[in-house]
């Protein structure tokens, strides 16, 4: 969502490098030590009788008597040519270099020989029995060090792995310390001018900007400022952008992170991250803390099956921090969510996120503004009519529109144009909504013909009923999002309310695709699945939520769960009533299907003509359609809205 996330300045890059270096060096030393220990050569061993023979022939220089052996230094038969310099190296490093035992030192086992001393004295040989140094302590320490090192390395490794899995974006995560996913921007560079068409939201946020500018004005009169505001709305409507704009307008530091960053496997990590975040923010005040997807931590505590200690702790910590900090310092927390209904009530209490700012999908005017803002970023032809594009994109969020402008620019490049033209934009709208054209999909002639009849069925039903929207474009070129063809329809104006008749007309249009297949080919294909889904949902909400059925009247049977996401509903009635509801819905759909069949049978000639025409041309405009429909010239739809019926 954010295009310009910055690397956090407090990232622990440096210690990581040092740590890695130390680890590598330790491993090197360890291996070297082991190698030396195992590759150490023992001095040559001789027979005791040999030793006695050396003694007799006066070749022995020194004898060291050890508990289990005699270490004998012989007088060399000839002088070595030069002394090894290695002996100079201090004992400290001796173990680093594998050392061969001197040539003239030999061993023999220790015989129980009572005459040994006598013999040695007799030959005037120096001898000694060294004190065995107590190496116990040293060895133990060495061992312990060794194990500690191994364990440390293993921990390091495990943490690395975990960091990769949990932390997502990699990097060593510090237990307890912030995952360095706090994005801090000194200057966001975004202003309210960059946010188009969210006037109400901007109005509510202006006060916060003013407060960040001069908190004294508010404290002087004794007013406490809101500590936080919650931006609520569907994805891609510019919540993040608005939060950045607040920081940009006020010229304060912007901290941002996502609610899901707090949720970790280990209990307590999230909580300490919250603590950390607020500590950092306090040092940088005045500032904005933006927590995206706050529902990830703020989910109501009693709505869960079982318990989730980690999230609960994190939430509690967040609540405690919000209560604890002094708002006069100029720290404002903005949260964003598209599921406000699941938030814990405690989070919405005064003194916490007590302001709620709705960021809705843009209306026509809003869409024009968003398109205008983003059109400035690309080279656009003078002839481009953004209003028309806005007309055909009801329901598109700001992010979709921004994406469309970009797609259009990409298309213009592909077409080797120097600037974006209207047709690039039109293509982009279709790409965003239905996916790219799938030219390589080969349909059999029969399939293609059925699709053509199906689409013309939709279009005919739409045009024949005056309550339905006129047609803009019909195509049977498959698209990557799975459609085999579709009809684009457009309203003259944007509607925020629909009458029962309009809804029924819409269901008839949806049914007409399958109806055309049945009227002409007497078959049923899978192509109607999307139509069926939409029609059923529509019919169901007519009965359960809009009070449009005779049977239930104004009784509400279902309620919306998360209206900013998929708009899922929950049934609020008994199973029996639920079954009756299903029957009622079935009735509406059957009724509409019959009407669609009748309508197409009446217009069978037109259906045939138009479908064959579409079959040959693959894409036809609303104008062409109307011409054929009326059997002569006519005005086609003026402006069109994209309402894809697959
Ligand atoms: P949200 O946080 O609501 O999911 P974002 O703020 O991340 O959405 O929006 C994503 C992108 O969409 C923005 O970076 C911006 O380019 C574009 N956008 C969304 N809404 C608007 C708007 N009202 N005005 C201008 N651009 C917008
Ligand atoms: Zn269809």
């Amino acid at each position: 969502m954010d295009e310009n996330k910055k690397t956090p300045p407090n990232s622990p890059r440096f210690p990581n490098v040092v740590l890695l270096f130390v680890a590598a060096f330790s491993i090197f030393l360890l291996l070297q030590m082991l190698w030396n220990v195992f590759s150490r050569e023992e001095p040559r061993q001789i027979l005791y009788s040999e030793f006695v023979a050396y003694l007799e022939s006066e070749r022995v220089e020194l004898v060291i008597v050890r508990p289990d052996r005699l270490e004998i230094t012989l007088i060399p038969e000839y002088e070595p040519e030069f002394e090894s310099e290695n002996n100079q190296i201090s004992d400290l490093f001796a173990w680093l270099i594998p050392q061969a035992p001197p040539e003239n030192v030999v061993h023999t086992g220790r015989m129980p020989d009572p005459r040994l001393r006598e013999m040695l004295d007799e030959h005037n040989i120096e001898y000694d029995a060294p004190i065995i140094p107590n190496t116990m302590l040293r060895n133990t320490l060495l061992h312990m060090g060794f194990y500690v090192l191994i364990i440390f390395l293993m921990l390091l490794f495990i943490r690395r792995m975990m960091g990769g899995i949990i932390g997502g974006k990699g990097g060593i995560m510090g237990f307890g310390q912030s995952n360095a996913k706090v994005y801090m921007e000194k200057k966001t560079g975004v202003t309210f001018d960059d946010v188009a068409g969210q006037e109400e939201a901007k109005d509510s946020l202006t006060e916060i900007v003013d407060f960040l500018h001069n908190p004294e004005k508010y404290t002087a009169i004794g007013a406490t400022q809101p500590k936080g505001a919650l931006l609520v709305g569907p994805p891609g409507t510019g919540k993040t952008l608005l939060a950045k704009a607040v920081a940009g307008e006020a010229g304060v530091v912007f901290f941002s992170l996502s609610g899901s960053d707090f949720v970790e496997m280990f209990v307590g990590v999230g909580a300490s991250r919250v603590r950390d975040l607020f500590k950092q923010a306090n040092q940088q005040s005045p500032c904005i803390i933006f927590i995206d997807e706050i529902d990830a931590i703020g989910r109501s505590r009693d709505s869960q099956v079982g318990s989730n200690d980690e999230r609960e702790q994190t939430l509690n910590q967040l609540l405690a921090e919000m209560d604890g900090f002094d708002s006069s310092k100029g720290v404002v927390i903005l949260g964003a969510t598209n599921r406000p209904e699941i938030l814990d009530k405690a989070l919405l209490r005064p003194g916490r996120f007590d302001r709620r700012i709705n960021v809705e999908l843009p209306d026509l005017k809003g869409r024009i503004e968003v398109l205008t803002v983003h059109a400035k970023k690309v080279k656009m032809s003078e002839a481009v009519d953004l209003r028309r594009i806005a007309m055909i994109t009801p329901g598109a969020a700001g992010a979709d529109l921004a994406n469309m402008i970009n797609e259009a620019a990409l298309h213009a490049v592909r077409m080797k144009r120097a600037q974006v033209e209207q047709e690039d934009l039109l293509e982009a709208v279709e790409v965003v909504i239905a996916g790219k054209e799938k030219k390589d999909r080969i349909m059999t002639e029969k399939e293609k013909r059925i699709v053509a009849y199906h689409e013309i069925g939709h279009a005919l039903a739409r045009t024949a009923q005056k309550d339905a929207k006129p047609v803009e474009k019909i195509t049977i070129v498959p698209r990557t999002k799975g459609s085999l063809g579709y009809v684009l329809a457009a309203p003259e104006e944007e509607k925020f309310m629909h009458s029962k008749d309009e809804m029924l007309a819409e269901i008839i249009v949806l049914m007409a695709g399958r109806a055309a297949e049945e009227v002409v080919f007497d078959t049923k294909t899978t192509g109607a699945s999307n139509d069926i889904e939409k029609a059923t949902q529509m019919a169901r909400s007519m009965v359960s939520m809009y009070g449009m059925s005779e049977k239930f009247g104004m009784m509400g049977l279902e309620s919306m769960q998360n209206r900013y996401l998929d708009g899922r509903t929950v049934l609020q009635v008994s199973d029996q009533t639920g079954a009756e509801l299903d029957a009622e819905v079935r009735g509406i759909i059957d009724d509409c299907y019959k009407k669609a069949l009748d309508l197409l049978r009446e217009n069978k000639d037109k259906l045939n003509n138009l479908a064959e025409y579409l079959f040959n041309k693959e894409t036809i405009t609303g104008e062409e359609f109307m011409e054929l429909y009326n059997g002569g010239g006519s005005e086609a739809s003026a402006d069109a809205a994209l309402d894809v019926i697959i």
Side-chain angles (χ1 to χ4, degrees), residues 6 11 55 82 85 102 107 152 201 227 271 273 279 290 309 338 351 357 362 365 420 424 437 452 470 526 619 645:
K6 304 257 160 73
S11 85
L55 212 58
F82 54 87
E85 297 286 312
H107 278 181
F152 173 76
K227 287 183 177 175
R273 266 182 206 160
K279 214 169 89 196
F290 176 64
D309 282 349
N338 36 41
I357 295 167
K365 186 169 153 284
V420 177
D424 298 320
E437 283 189 356
T526 53
T619 300
I645 297 179

Side-chain angles (χ1 to χ4, degrees), residues 56-179:
E56 307 278 71
S57 57
E58 306 283 348
R59 277 206 53 208
V60 176
E61 188 180 325
L62 170 76
V63 173
I64 309 276
V65 182
R66 294 195 185 270
D68 61 329
R69 67 179 82 178
L70 300 180
E71 212 174 277
I72 305 137
T73 309
L74 299 174
I75 299 166
E77 278 173 296
Y78 48 87
E79 288 290 313
E81 278 168 33
F82 54 87
E83 281 286 327
S84 166
E85 297 286 312
N86 274 356
N87 299 342
Q88 311 292 328
I89 296 180
S90 108
D91 277 352
L92 199 59
F93 297 110
W95 56 272
L96 258 179
I97 300 137
Q99 293 189 343
E103 286 274 307
N104 57 337
V105 174
V106 292
H107 278 181
T108 183
R110 193 172 159 191
M111 283 273 282
D113 183 355
R115 284 188 52 247
L116 181 62
R117 255 197 68 199
E118 256 174 58
M119 255 156 52
L120 290 172
D121 282 338
E122 202 175 294
H123 294 280
N124 242 343
I125 288 161
E126 278 185 61
Y127 54 89
D128 186 21
I131 303 162
I132 302 167
N134 189 357
T135 55
M136 265 274 278
L137 185 68
R138 205 187 67 185
N139 284 353
T140 321
L141 282 182
L142 227 108
H143 266 98
M144 266 168 51
F146 182 73
Y147 286 123
V148 166
L149 191 76
I150 294 265
I151 290 171
F152 173 76
L153 287 176
M154 265 165 66
L155 268 183
L156 200 77
F157 182 70
I158 291 173
R159 250 167 61 176
R160 246 195 174 227
M161 300 269 297
M162 301 279 255
I165 297 162
I166 303 169
K169 280 165 201 153
I172 297 182
M173 66 168 189
F175 279 84
Q177 57 157 228
S178 167
N179 196 8

Side-chain angles (χ1 to χ4, degrees), residues 613-642:
Y613 185 70
L614 176 64
F615 176 79
N616 292 322
K617 279 202 72 175
E618 294 195 343
T619 300
I620 61 174
T621 62
E623 284 81 12
E624 286 173 281
F625 177 85
M626 289 313 284
E627 225 163 274
L628 274 163
Y629 179 80
N630 292 327
S634 135
E635 294 119 66
S637 54
D639 280 308
L642 202 66

